[in-house]
Amino acid sequence: MTKVERAAARRGGKRSGPPEPEFVQLLTPEGERVSHPDYSVDFTDDELRGLYRDLVTVRKLDAEATALQRQGELGIWASLLGQEAAQVGSGRALRKQDMAFPTYREHGVLYCRNIDPIMPLGLFRGVDQGGWDPVAHRFNMYTIVIGAQTLHATGYAMGIVKDGKVGDDDETSEAVIAYFGDGATSQGDVNEAFIFGSVYNAPIVFFCQNNQYAISEPLERQTRIPLYQRAAGFGFPGIRVDGNDVLATYAVTRAALDNARHGQGPTLVEAYTYRMGAHTTSDDPTRYRVASEVEAWQAKDPIVRMRKLLEKQGLADEAFFAAVDEQAKVEAVALRERVLSMPDPDPATMFDHVYPNGSPLIDKQRAEFESYHASFEGSH
């Protein structure tokens, strides 16, 4: 018996966990559209094809980044494999004036915010700190510290209230979305953000991607109740959505953002999904989960179900799918070439943006640093 099997036996004989949960779903794994009394979407045929294109492209770019890390071109990478629908659905639900606060895994949301996909790769290659303008793209920098971004997001949302940018349905009203994983719900930062968001009625959506594992710890070691039910204890609504259903994720996130924008306060959205790969490229998931569990979730693949929908409704043919795949490959190859051509930065540039208007102390430190490095010139 393997280590994983022994651990499963101690928990009652299997790792499959609780029965399939109830959640908002608009698209089944078989590609069938289903209705829900409270949530719906009204996409055009072109928009449905666009969502499929987003899902495929995001997965391909993510796979290319994983390959680059395995080949020593990135220091580390946090894959989103399996979570594409949760990210594309929520990312496309954002209005242009809304602000997003990501973890280090929201590559799909970043893509939906029209940020060059090379930007996070510069961070993980170690040549910059991210590089995009958070204000221009309405997408904050990646946050490595687990859960810290929820406090940043809540403070930002509280500022929106003070600026009077809530209550209307136009571009003057804003909402905030904070992304985090199921493991982060055990962090004090996240719970403090819930408290402040609730008490100050902040226009924020707490978007939890429950991918079933906090690195190597399964969900049942993180909580005794469904995560979305925690919201009730803080005084705001929570809802669980099928995180592998891009349509339902869009509908639920859009509604939560609209409520926040109209002054109705926070919502906790639990996107019930699965991390198909490793937590990061330094992780080995085979040490703590069994292959049958992964296979069961593969049957719920977000891209496969979207393709089935397009096929069933006659909205796409093989030529379309082949063209999407080919374009995604072209973008991935271009991304690889750009990463490999990234120049190593001058070490002294670390001092460039410490303060917006400079500092005598930083200038002194920079001079000492450059002098120290110059002392090695010509040596072996």
Side-chain angles (χ1 to χ4, degrees):
M1 183 179 288
T2 67
K3 181 179 178 181
V4 171
E5 291 168 337
R6 287 195 297 272
R10 289 195 298 270
R11 294 193 293 268
K14 61 180 181 179
R15 161 64 196 104
S16 58
E20 191 73 12
E22 292 185 4
F23 43 40
V24 177
Q25 186 181 79
L26 299 177
L27 180 63
T28 71
E30 294 73 35
E32 298 288 348
R33 289 289 297 269
V34 292
S35 61
H36 190 277
D38 300 317
Y39 298 95
S40 63
V41 291
D42 186 23
F43 288 118
T44 66
D45 294 349
D46 282 342
E47 288 171 337
L48 289 172
R49 286 188 286 265
L51 287 172
Y52 177 82
R53 187 178 295 107
D54 287 342
L55 296 171
V56 171
T57 303
V58 165
R59 176 172 292 186
K60 185 62 178 177
L61 295 175
D62 176 68
E64 192 64 45
T66 298
L68 283 164
Q69 193 284 327
R70 295 305 189 198
Q71 295 160 10
E73 300 298 340
L74 301 179
I76 194 172
W77 183 250
S79 173
L80 58 68
L81 181 62
Q83 299 176 220
E84 296 89 356
Q87 296 198 14
V88 170
S90 62
R92 290 302 183 197
L94 290 164
R95 294 190 184 183
K96 64 180 182 180
Q97 71 267 27
D98 295 335
M99 187 70 177
F101 286 79
T103 68
Y104 44 75
R105 198 188 302 275
E106 270 66 66
H107 321 309
V109 185
L110 178 142
Y111 180 84
C112 291
R113 296 309 265 175
N114 297 317
I115 298 174
D116 189 334
I118 199 172
M119 289 299 180
L121 275 69
L123 172 65
F124 290 113
R125 189 172 170 86
V127 300
D128 58 45
Q129 299 298 316
W132 63 88
D133 184 342
V135 176
H137 293 284
R138 313 299 292 167
F139 186 85
N140 200 47
M141 303 303 295
Y142 276 7
T143 303
I144 306 301
V145 179
I146 304 298
Q149 72 283 355
T150 59
L151 285 173
H152 307 157
T154 301
Y156 190 97
M158 290 164 61
I160 288 175
V161 175
K162 291 183 180 296
D163 288 341
K165 295 182 178 180
V166 293
D168 294 318
D169 195 30
D170 55 25
E171 294 183 2
T172 64
S173 292
E174 303 176 14
V176 176
I177 188 168
Y179 290 91
F180 53 98
D182 49 291
T185 62
S186 297
Q187 294 286 344
D189 293 35
V190 174
N191 289 270
E192 291 169 8
F194 287 174
I195 293 170
F196 274 85
S198 176
V199 171
Y200 286 90
N201 203 45
I204 183 169
V205 175
F206 295 107
F207 192 91
C208 175
Q209 290 175 83
N210 178 2
N211 64 19
Q212 311 304 313
Y213 286 93
I215 304 182
S216 59
E217 289 295 305
L219 181 64
E220 60 262 30
R221 291 188 179 178
Q222 296 291 319
T223 182
R224 300 297 294 270
I225 64 170
L227 291 175
Y228 76 95
Q229 292 183 7
R230 287 188 175 185
F234 295 92
F236 55 86
I239 187 167
R240 176 182 272 171
V241 63
D242 182 351
N244 283 18
D245 175 355
V246 68
L247 304 185
T249 302
Y250 177 94
V252 168
T253 308
R254 179 185 60 184
L257 288 166
D258 285 345
N259 288 339
R261 203 177 291 110
H262 286 89
Q264 297 178 34
T267 300
L268 171 60
V269 175
E270 178 192 354
Y272 200 83
T273 182
Y274 193 77
R275 167 169 56 80
M276 295 301 298
H279 176 73
T280 70
T281 46
S282 61
D283 171 43
D284 179 8
T286 64
R287 295 175 62 87
Y288 54 84
R289 67 186 190 190
V290 295
S292 59
E293 178 182 288
V294 179
E295 292 172 0
W297 277 93
Q298 285 175 337
K300 306 171 188 177
D301 187 282
I303 295 179
V304 172
R305 72 173 70 182
M306 195 63 188
R307 175 168 178 149
K308 288 180 179 178
L309 170 68
L310 296 177
E311 291 174 334
K312 288 176 183 291
Q313 296 192 355
L315 301 180
D317 55 17
E318 286 300 325
F320 168 80
F321 296 123
V324 169
D325 290 341
E326 181 59 31
Q327 182 58 36
K329 291 178 183 177
V330 169
E331 293 187 33
V333 170
L335 183 65
R336 163 177 287 274
E337 292 174 348
R338 294 171 65 198
V339 169
L340 297 180
S341 65
M342 280 183 169
D344 291 333
D346 182 339
T349 58
M350 74 172 78
F351 298 96
D352 285 353
H353 304 293
V354 177
Y355 294 107
N357 300 313
S359 161
L361 178 60
I362 294 298
D363 291 343
K364 180 181 178 182
Q365 291 177 354
R366 180 178 190 136
E368 292 175 351
F369 180 83
E370 291 176 335
S371 176
Y372 175 74
H373 270 254
S375 69
F376 293 98
E377 291 182 0
S379 63
H380 298 285

